[in-house]
Every structure is written in C-alpha cells, then in structure tokens.
C-alpha cells in the first residue's frame, strides 16, 4: 500500500532540482539510519509507478520516517520496520533530508518530533510516515509506539494522531502525513457495547 501512496507523490512532484549539500549528497549511501541531505536526479524504480527521470526534491524537503515492529506489551509487526527502511531509502533518493526512527518509545518519538520541527524550520515540504499499530481510544485515533500499553485507555504511551499534525502546524508549508497502521479494537468507553 505504501508503494502506491508514494508513487502518487512521485507522479505529482515536479519541483526543480536544488544544489546538493551535506554528507551523502547526490547519492544513496546505503545506510538505513541517520540523516542524508542532498539532491538526486535519475531513475526511481521499485515503487510501483515505473521509472521517472525528473529532477527531485532538495534541501527544502524534510521527512521523518517511523517504523514500529517491536512492542513491549503487544504483538509485533515485522514488516513495519522493513517498510519504513524502504520508504526512507526512497525519500533519500528523492533528495529529502530524511530521519529514520525504528521502534521508538513514547519519549523518543516526542524527541524526534521536536527535532523535526527544528530541521523543518525553513522547509517548504515536510513528510511524516508512520508504519505500525494504531487504535481508537476515547474517540480519537492513536499511534502505538514500542512502549504503548495496548489494553490501557488513552494516554498509556500511545501518541494521538493530532500530535503529528500539530508538530508541523507552526508555519505555512506543504505537510504530508502517511499512516500505514492496522487498527486495533477500540478501548475505553467507546468500546463498550450499547445498552
């Protein structure tokens, strides 16, 4: 599913190339962690949309890619981190300043979002991709992180989806939020059967 969503983004994107800067600029270093800044022009394949040779994003584009597959209090999702690594590679190839977070806990995720706000201060486009478990609690959608308590109610280490959108709402710019999460049954009062 993520390939189709990313392919749509690729087809819609038509920004001119910018000057490559920073470590690993203009190439995929092959590293699955860390940050790479640069511009890539060439063929992007393996995304389900066919190759493209258009110039791609530049320094004004930032992506936070999160994959949670290991959970302390619930079933794991082995494909979530693999998907996140693949998506991070694709965004790096497109020239995005990309940060990959694998299996973050609640505090680490909040720290990543704070760092994203700083890195995206002057960005024209910011992308957050999340792959992992999700749930509805108290009528609100939540993302489950490594240390989230699955059976507990709201505030048990789960991250409300609104926190992601608020993390980027400080400036006018393009904001793209991609969530690839299975939805666990509701918890709390909303989960009780009627009557």
């Amino acid at each position: 599913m993520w390939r189709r969503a990313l392919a749509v983004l690729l087809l819609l994107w038509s920004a001119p190339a910018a000057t490559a800067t920073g470590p690993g600029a203009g190439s995929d270093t092959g590293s699955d962690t860390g940050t790479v800044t640069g511009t890539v022009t060439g063929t992007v394949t393996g995304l389900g949309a066919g190759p493209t040779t258009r110039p791609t994003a530049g320094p004004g584009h930032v992506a936070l890619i999160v994959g949670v597959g290991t959970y302390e209090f619930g079933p794991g999702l082995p494909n979530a981190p693999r998907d996140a690594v693949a998506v991070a590679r694709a965004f790096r190839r497109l020239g995005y300043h990309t940060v990959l977070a694998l299996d973050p806990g609640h505090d680490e995720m909040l720290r990543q979002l704070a760092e994203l706000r700083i890195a995206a201060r002057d960005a024209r486009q910011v992308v957050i991709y999340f792959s992992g478990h999700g749930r509805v609690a108290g009528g609100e959608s939540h993302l489950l992180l490594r240390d989230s308590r699955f059976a507990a109610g709201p505030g048990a280490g789960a991250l409300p989806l609104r926190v992601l959108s608020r993390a980027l709402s400080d400036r006018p710019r393009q904001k793209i939020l991609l969530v690839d999460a299975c939805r666990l049954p509701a918890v709390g009062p909303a989960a009780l059967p009627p009557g």
Side-chain angles (χ1 to χ4, degrees):
M1 185 66 181
W2 70 265
R3 287 181 174 99
R4 192 171 313 138
L6 191 54
V8 169
L9 289 174
L10 290 173
L11 292 173
L12 295 175
W13 186 249
S14 62
T19 305
T21 59
S27 66
D28 183 10
T29 63
S31 171
D32 290 340
T33 59
T35 302
V36 176
T37 304
T39 300
V40 177
T41 303
T43 302
V44 179
T45 58
L47 297 173
T52 178
T53 56
R54 283 190 178 174
T56 56
H61 297 76
V62 178
L64 171 61
I65 311 300
V66 181
V68 184
T70 303
Y71 291 91
E72 295 172 11
F73 303 103
L77 290 173
N79 286 335
R82 285 187 282 237
D83 289 349
V85 167
V87 170
R89 258 192 218 125
F91 275 103
R92 284 183 183 129
R93 286 183 189 125
L94 290 171
Y96 282 73
H97 170 89
T98 302
V99 176
L100 175 62
L102 297 176
D103 296 324
H106 187 265
D107 291 344
E108 183 182 345
M109 186 65 189
L110 292 177
R111 189 171 38 258
Q112 290 287 349
L113 288 171
E115 290 175 10
L116 177 67
R117 272 184 82 122
I118 293 167
R121 185 181 63 231
D122 298 322
R124 293 185 318 265
Q125 185 179 85
V126 181
V127 176
I128 298 177
Y129 171 88
F130 176 87
S131 181
H133 281 301
R135 73 165 184 215
V136 174
E140 185 175 19
S141 295
H142 292 79
L143 304 176
L144 298 177
L145 304 166
R146 183 190 71 244
D147 53 1
S148 298
R149 296 189 182 275
F150 280 46
L159 186 71
L161 193 55
R162 66 179 152 73
V163 170
L164 295 182
S165 61
R166 285 185 181 166
L168 304 175
S169 62
D170 60 330
R171 298 179 190 273
R173 61 175 145 223
Q174 289 180 336
K175 302 160 197 106
I176 301 171
L177 179 58
L178 301 168
V179 177
D180 180 8
C182 56
R183 194 162 128 178
L184 297 176
V187 296
L192 300 175

